[in-house]
């Protein structure tokens, strides 16, 4: 469980394939396939003005959750492929 207050930029290694974002009565299920880690960030009040597409005070209403491979990145040989994906479901 994570409570956000101000700027945050964190890497979580070996996270579950399903994460739940709860905001009051709303829940967003994030299902990652092929990703083992998660990055959570919010720019915070001090840096919010550096983003052109973020209006005044909007930093308080978002949290970016990115599926990632940071702890053990995938290394592909030539002509190889790798498949991963993320689905989002409002519950």
């Amino acid at each position: 469980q994570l409570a956000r207050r101000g700027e945050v930029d964190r890497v979580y290694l070996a996270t579950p394939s399903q994460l739940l974002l709860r905001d009051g009565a709303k829940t967003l299920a994030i299902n990652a396939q092929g990703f083992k880690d998660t990055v959570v960030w919010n720019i915070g009040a001090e840096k919010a003005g550096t983003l052109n597409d973020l209006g005044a005070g909007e930093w308080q209403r978002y949290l970016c959750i990115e599926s990632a491979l940071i702890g053990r990145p995938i290394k592909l040989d030539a002509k190889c492929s790798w498949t991963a994906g993320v689905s989002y479901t409002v519950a």
Side-chain angles (χ1 to χ4, degrees), residues 6-88:
E7 181 181 358
V8 62
D9 189 2
R10 296 188 186 128
V11 173
Y12 296 91
L13 301 176
T15 55
S17 60
Q18 183 181 72
L19 300 174
L20 299 176
L21 174 62
R22 292 190 175 104
D23 182 15
K26 301 175 192 171
T27 300
L28 177 68
I30 304 167
N31 294 290
Q33 301 85 36
F35 294 105
K36 302 294 182 193
D37 308 319
T38 303
V39 177
V40 177
W41 68 274
N42 178 289
I43 200 162
E46 189 173 312
K47 296 179 183 174
T50 65
L51 293 181
N52 293 334
D53 60 348
L54 196 63
E58 288 183 344
W59 70 271
Q60 297 175 70
R61 296 188 300 275
Y62 86 89
L63 186 66
C64 185
I65 302 173
E66 300 176 0
S67 299
L69 279 174
I70 296 172
R72 298 185 73 188
I74 298 290
K75 183 177 179 181
L76 296 176
D77 293 326
K79 298 185 181 184
C80 290
S81 64
W82 170 73
T83 302
V86 182
S87 64
Y88 304 88

